[in-house]
Amino acid sequence: MRNAPTILHLDMDAFYASVEQASKPSLRGKAVVVGGLGPRGVVATASYEARVFGVHSAMPMAQARRLAPNAAYLVPRFTVYRAISEQVMALLRELSPLVEPLSLDEAFVDLEAGGTAWDEESARLSGIRLRADIRAVTGLTGSVGLAASKMLAKIASEQAKPDGLVVIEPGSERALLAPMPVRTLPGVGPATGDHLRRAGITTVEELAEAGEDELVRLLGKAHGHALYAMALAHDERPVVAEREAKSVSVEDTYDVDIHDRLRIGLEVQRLADRCVGRLRGAGLSGRTIVLKVRRYDFSTLTRSETLRGPTDDPAVVREAAARLLDSVDTTGGVRLLGVGVSGLADYTQEDLFAQALPARAAEAPEEAEAEVVVERPEPVERHWRAGQDVRHAEYGHGWVQGSGLGRVTVRFETPQSAPGRVRTFFVEDPALEAADPLPLVSDPSRPPARPGRSSSDRHGAPPRTPEDDQVSSDPASLPNSWSGAEAGEATSRP
């Protein structure tokens, strides 16, 4: 382990929720929950205001709604999160060539490798500058931990939350770790934690006192050795600049089990196309196509097929996934479907179309591909999702607060504006369209974006109530009469 706290761990504070609050002025200081909004959805991130009510990530969304019924519930906007993450990672790479991203909002940095820090004072100054740069570039806050190892740097960033900086001085590690629960250490999950608790070990100090031999007996050789070393504050893991992706995949959980075999097939094709989109976006191709099916009884089946060479052709992936689906019994219904590609490469073998098609179809690939297109149903109604960016021809930029009963409610505001006004429209209103997100920090060379002007309602929009004309700071929510309708699921017209 090093003699100076030159390993930095950055963790953006409640990242997804903070991005939504920064882009939607009416949600600042309010409880915000981001995740799947269906009955089977889970929480991706909760703002600190929502955490007060006990809401946390990975919690079922239905439980979160019971704990915080007045919070704003929004779908994730991963395109926005990725763009902001790239800005943050670029700032980290200015500090050092050794940056190890763990997720969109978390990374380790080896400051010593970049010549940015060599002792406690220089490391602290680097952390202070980084937090200031992140706020200036993104408008968001991040917590920074500095220590002599990755494990301790991550513990320090947890102590720094939210919006803080903590430095663990060399020589103080053992005293700091001693009273902490064993779950604090990397590699100690719920199962290992319960196993240790039954053996009378609940803190890191008790873990160290148990001795290496006892931990090997309890947990096995590899895990026991590693855990004992960490209990003594020894962590020699280096910061690894490149974490190579092993697979690319997408999956959807459905609010209601799907029984219709034709629809299941169409869903698999749609997921295959999304997967290929991510694959191409990363400049990759892959050899192994993987299908994941979770059935009505929660049993999960995985099927895979390895091609002769890597591909990023959507037709190849669709056909392979369809063949894999043929081997799965979906009679009782499915609750989750997923399509993935592994065996990744950074090139594509161009002549793979025939290998993913049955012999008859391989003779006429154009006809096979045309059949797939014909089977796709045309959308019958525009879908609006809570949190989605939109633009109205008359009112300007806004975001969807909710949708149901053939109507969509939009709040018109931008990241640089005051909390905006609320308007309600028919879901088919031609003046309303999906829009690109606006930057969280305005370009100093241009004036800040502003919401569209307020004027009389367009012809054909539902009647406006006096409440519509008030500038409200209430969280995104739907009227009680709409509480059972998910965004985009309206089935009736006013």
Side-chain angles (χ1 to χ4, degrees), residues 168-417:
I168 297 179
E169 300 177 6
S172 66
E173 299 94 347
R174 290 286 301 276
L176 176 74
L177 287 175
M180 292 184 174
V182 293
R183 289 287 304 277
T184 304
L185 301 181
V188 182
T192 302
D194 288 343
H195 191 53
L196 291 171
R197 180 181 52 79
R198 288 193 295 270
I201 301 173
T202 59
T203 66
V204 176
E205 183 176 26
E206 292 169 345
L207 200 64
E209 291 174 348
E212 188 171 16
D213 291 341
E214 177 65 9
L215 294 179
V216 168
R217 186 186 68 81
L218 288 171
L219 305 173
K221 187 174 181 180
H223 202 182
H225 281 309
L227 210 53
Y228 181 69
M230 289 184 180
L232 299 180
H234 297 158
D235 180 17
E236 303 298 334
R237 294 174 301 161
V239 175
V240 181
E242 297 296 331
R243 295 171 59 90
E244 184 177 352
K246 296 181 179 179
S247 65
V248 173
S249 63
V250 296
E251 62 182 42
D252 277 344
T253 300
Y254 303 99
D255 297 343
V256 179
D257 291 348
I258 303 176
H259 294 82
D260 182 72
R261 186 74 180 188
L262 176 60
R263 186 188 167 193
I264 293 173
L266 292 174
E267 288 293 320
V268 167
Q269 291 180 13
R270 183 178 61 82
L271 290 167
D273 288 343
R274 282 174 51 194
C275 183
V276 169
R278 290 191 182 183
L279 201 67
R280 289 181 168 180
L284 297 171
S285 58
R287 297 184 66 233
T288 302
I289 313 303
V290 181
L291 175 70
K292 178 180 177 181
V293 179
R294 181 166 296 152
R295 299 191 292 187
Y296 68 98
D297 58 357
F298 287 88
S299 62
T300 302
L301 304 177
T302 302
R303 300 286 185 269
S304 64
E305 175 181 316
T306 299
L307 308 176
R308 292 196 302 268
T311 184
D312 65 354
D313 189 321
V316 173
V317 177
R318 280 198 303 264
E319 292 295 333
R323 281 199 308 279
L324 294 171
L325 180 62
D326 289 339
S327 66
V328 177
D329 180 12
T330 61
T331 304
V334 300
R335 57 185 289 120
L336 177 147
L337 290 169
V339 174
V341 177
S342 60
L344 301 182
D346 57 1
Y347 68 94
T348 302
Q349 186 169 316
E350 298 295 343
D351 61 350
L352 293 175
F353 189 87
Q355 76 177 359
L357 292 172
R360 181 178 58 83
E363 297 172 0
E366 297 82 0
E367 294 181 6
E369 189 169 6
E371 289 175 3
V372 172
V373 174
V374 170
E375 288 178 350
R376 292 177 181 171
E378 292 295 326
V380 296
E381 187 177 80
R382 301 166 75 187
H383 286 193
W384 302 108
R385 305 185 303 163
Q388 177 183 354
D389 289 277
V390 296
R391 184 169 186 82
H392 192 274
E394 189 169 355
Y395 299 116
H397 189 92
W399 58 278
V400 174
Q401 281 202 178
S403 174
L405 302 179
R407 303 184 185 191
V408 55
T409 299
V410 178
R411 186 183 289 272
F412 292 98
E413 59 187 5
T414 73
Q416 287 77 43
S417 75

Side-chain angles (χ1 to χ4, degrees), residues 32-250:
V32 175
V33 181
V34 179
L37 301 188
R40 293 173 177 169
V42 296
V43 175
T45 306
S47 69
Y48 287 98
E49 296 85 355
R51 296 180 192 186
V52 172
F53 298 98
V55 180
H56 58 78
S57 60
M59 170 182 285
M61 191 62 78
Q63 182 181 356
R65 289 184 184 275
R66 290 193 295 269
L67 293 172
N70 295 320
Y73 291 86
L74 308 174
V75 296
R77 297 185 299 156
F78 287 110
T79 302
V80 181
Y81 308 150
R82 289 191 189 97
I84 296 173
S85 175
E86 289 173 2
Q87 292 178 306
V88 173
M89 296 301 165
L91 293 175
L92 296 182
R93 292 186 180 95
E94 291 178 5
L95 295 176
S96 172
L98 288 184
V99 176
E100 182 178 342
L102 303 179
S103 62
L104 291 178
D105 60 342
E106 186 180 4
F108 286 110
V109 183
D110 188 332
L111 298 177
E112 189 175 22
T116 312
W118 49 91
D119 58 13
E120 180 182 343
E121 183 60 24
S122 59
R124 186 185 297 273
L125 289 174
S126 294
I128 292 172
R129 285 195 298 269
L130 173 64
R131 293 178 60 240
D133 289 344
I134 289 173
R135 185 184 290 274
V137 171
T138 70
L140 304 176
T141 63
S143 297
V144 170
L146 291 155
S149 70
K150 291 169 69 173
M151 176 187 74
L152 293 168
K154 184 172 176 61
I155 290 173
S157 69
E158 287 294 323
Q159 293 183 329
K161 282 184 167 293
D163 191 20
L165 183 149
V166 168
V167 180
I168 297 179
E169 300 177 6
S172 66
E173 299 94 347
R174 290 286 301 276
L176 176 74
L177 287 175
M180 292 184 174
V182 293
R183 289 287 304 277
T184 304
L185 301 181
V188 182
T192 302
D194 288 343
H195 191 53
L196 291 171
R197 180 181 52 79
R198 288 193 295 270
I201 301 173
T202 59
T203 66
V204 176
E205 183 176 26
E206 292 169 345
L207 200 64
E209 291 174 348
E212 188 171 16
D213 291 341
E214 177 65 9
L215 294 179
V216 168
R217 186 186 68 81
L218 288 171
L219 305 173
K221 187 174 181 180
H223 202 182
H225 281 309
L227 210 53
Y228 181 69
M230 289 184 180
L232 299 180
H234 297 158
D235 180 17
E236 303 298 334
R237 294 174 301 161
V239 175
V240 181
E242 297 296 331
R243 295 171 59 90
E244 184 177 352
K246 296 181 179 179
S247 65
V248 173
S249 63
V250 296

Side-chain angles (χ1 to χ4, degrees), residues 402 409 424 477-484:
T409 299
T424 298
S477 60
L478 294 177
N480 291 334
S481 61
W482 294 4
S483 59

